Amino acid sequence: MSARSYYSDSYLTRFESTVEETGELDGGPYVVLERSAFYPTSGGQPFDRGTLNGVAVSDVFVREGDGKVIHRLAAPIARGETVVGEIDWPRRFDHMQQHTGQHVLSQAFIQVKDAATIGFHLGEDYVSIDLDTPELADRDAERAFAVANEVVTRDVSVTAWFPTPDELAALPLRKTPEVEGALRVVRIGDFDYSACGGTHVARTGELGLIHHLKTERIKRGSRVAFLVGGRARADYATKHAITQRLAAELTCSVEELPEAVGRLKEELQAARREIGRHKAEALTREAAELHAGAESVAGRSLVVAAFENRPAEELRALVLDLTGRDGVVALVASGGPKTQLVFGRSEGLELDLRPALKAALDAVGGGKGGGSRIVQGGGSRPATLAEVEEALRAARTAVGA
């Protein structure tokens, strides 16, 4: 196993070491160092970034079999060379905050809800823990976050060490993992003892705030998403700026935003209903005009109409209105980014419109559709108005007109 400096000092950001192994992985170079401060992806925590002698470190992970820490590089470094490693401190400290915050929050949920953490994810945008309880009320989450932030406020010490077997047996670990070799324990005052190989802050005051984002039900329990420290402050700043802009736009205070948005929602719903009513009336008038201009073919009123960029729902509304009358056959289509075809017949007419739909779709390069009294289809490619008119001529022929 590679010697790992972050075990004893998570704040170490610059170190010297010797390259003891080089090679290539997936076409790129890698090195193994005699000693490294780079944290490798493990335990839900992502790897550290940084440089070795100015060469960017693009990935860090533990090799199965021998436990060596692999550093993937942007350029090769020679074996035996002495290197200076530089850790990307903002990323490292962010991970320290998030991971320590997770320990605090996991213990808080045990105390408040007797809910154990069964999963942990430290992502780029947020952190989440999975709890082994399917029912997690808002009040339980609020209490757990209150307990966690009380620990932050108390600024208790955070220590990490490899206890002896006798020490380990006496520690109240949240969970004892089955691992070979020495077990590293992270202690947060007398609040939490956890087996963990990650990087952590020295005192909980460095966490600043543990901020609840959301809770959702998952297959195996509940997932709680949260932010700690710098991420929590950034989230607050973003949402503060948003609420300030909204309040200015709506000429109200931030506290009045819910009421103002509620009024806007009601006004929007009313406006949509009014627009819908006007659209329905306009479509009814349009259908009447189309019916007035219908051709008489074999005792039926035939309506044929082509449009450009007309929504399928409007075409269908026209056809439904037209075929609500007696003895009507309606062939309506629209060209544009996607060809829309809607054909229909009145109740009581013995006419299969599926051949007409197939003929029209074939004329515009193919497509899919179906139905019975009302048949509808979409072309597989854009079509011009002239192409749609040609498709309707093919449909007329298919219905014997």
Side-chain angles (χ1 to χ4, degrees):
M1 178 182 291
S2 298
R4 309 182 193 185
S5 300
Y6 61 83
Y7 276 155
S8 57
D9 186 2
S10 293
Y11 293 82
L12 178 65
T13 60
R14 182 183 174 87
F15 67 98
E16 287 190 4
S17 188
T18 303
V19 176
E20 66 175 25
E21 178 184 332
T22 62
E24 283 199 359
L25 279 173
D26 301 324
Y30 78 87
V31 297
V32 173
L33 303 179
E34 180 183 25
R35 174 175 295 275
S36 178
F38 279 87
Y39 182 83
T41 298
S42 59
Q45 179 177 330
F47 64 93
D48 284 328
R49 291 199 178 102
T51 60
L52 291 175
N53 280 1
V55 177
V57 176
S58 60
D59 191 12
V60 188
F61 61 93
V62 178
R63 183 166 60 195
E64 292 185 11
D66 61 5
K68 296 290 186 180
V69 176
I70 304 297
H71 305 71
R72 299 185 68 168
L73 305 174
I77 297 177
R79 182 176 181 179
E81 187 173 339
T82 297
V83 293
V84 175
E86 297 273 359
I87 304 295
D88 179 341
W89 172 244
R91 177 180 170 90
R92 161 68 72 82
F93 187 64
D94 170 59
H95 291 172
M96 289 163 62
Q97 286 185 317
Q98 308 311 313
H99 202 158
T100 309
Q102 176 263 310
H103 281 223
V104 174
L105 190 60
S106 290
Q107 178 61 242
F109 272 107
I110 288 176
Q111 295 187 12
V112 167
K113 183 67 175 174
D114 194 25
T117 295
I118 55 176
F120 165 53
H121 172 70
L122 202 171
E124 292 291 336
D125 299 321
Y126 65 90
V127 190
S128 66
I129 54 174
D130 295 344
L131 303 173
D132 64 354
T133 177
E135 301 297 333
L136 186 63
D138 290 343
R139 64 179 180 276
D140 292 328
E142 290 172 4
R143 287 171 56 209
F145 275 88
V147 169
N149 280 300
E150 175 60 25
V151 175
V152 173
T153 301
R154 292 195 345 244
D155 190 29
V156 302
S157 64
V158 180
T159 55
W161 82 105
F162 290 90
T164 65
D166 289 342
E167 283 183 294
L168 186 62
L171 294 176
L173 295 184
R174 267 193 281 125
K175 180 181 179 181
T176 303
E178 296 181 3
V179 296
E180 294 182 4
L183 193 66
R184 184 170 179 257
V185 171
V186 175
R187 172 183 176 177
I188 300 175
D190 291 324
F191 181 74
D192 183 64
Y193 294 78
S194 298
C196 181
T199 56
H200 296 273
V201 299
R203 303 192 66 85
T204 59
E206 296 178 73
L207 303 181
L209 173 69
I210 303 176
H211 171 52
H212 186 197
L213 285 180
K214 62 179 180 178
T215 300
E216 59 183 332
R217 181 86 172 266
I218 59 173
K219 187 174 182 179
R220 59 180 187 164
S222 299
R223 177 164 294 164
V224 179
F226 60 97
L227 301 171
V228 184
R231 293 193 189 193
R233 290 195 303 274
D235 184 71
Y236 165 78
T238 297
K239 290 174 180 174
H240 177 71
I242 291 171
T243 55
Q244 289 295 321
R245 288 199 302 270
L246 287 174
E249 288 287 336
L250 299 176
T251 61
C252 66
S253 68
V254 171
E255 292 75 17
E256 294 170 330
L257 276 175
E259 183 181 348
V261 171
R263 287 196 301 269
L264 280 178
K265 186 177 179 181
E266 291 176 0
E267 292 170 4
L268 177 60
Q269 290 172 339
R272 283 175 172 170
R273 287 193 294 268
E274 186 68 9
I275 291 171
R277 184 177 66 81
H278 285 298
K279 278 187 175 181
E281 291 174 353
L283 286 169
T284 298
R285 289 193 298 270
E286 186 178 3
E289 292 171 1
L290 289 171
H291 185 257
E295 301 176 51
S296 180
V297 179
R300 304 164 181 162
S301 295
L302 178 65
V303 176
V304 181
F307 304 94
E308 280 189 295
N309 299 316
R310 197 80 184 260
E313 58 269 21
E314 289 188 11
L315 301 181
R316 187 174 180 85
L318 286 173
V319 170
L320 286 170
D321 190 301
L322 287 163
T323 57
R325 301 168 171 84
D326 293 333
V328 175
V329 174
L331 307 176
V332 178
S334 176
K338 184 178 180 182
T339 309
Q340 302 288 348
L341 305 166
V342 184
F343 302 162
R345 59 170 174 80
S346 300
E347 293 281 3
L349 285 182
E350 296 294 331
L351 180 63
D352 186 357
L353 291 173
R354 288 173 295 183
L357 180 64
K358 183 179 184 305
L361 288 171
D362 289 344
V364 292
K368 294 181 179 180
S372 54
R373 189 178 76 82
I374 306 293
V375 297
Q376 183 172 337
S380 58
R381 62 171 178 80
T384 64
L385 181 60
E387 289 174 320
V388 167
E389 290 172 338
E390 180 61 31
L392 290 177
R393 282 192 285 271
R396 286 184 62 134
T397 300
V399 299

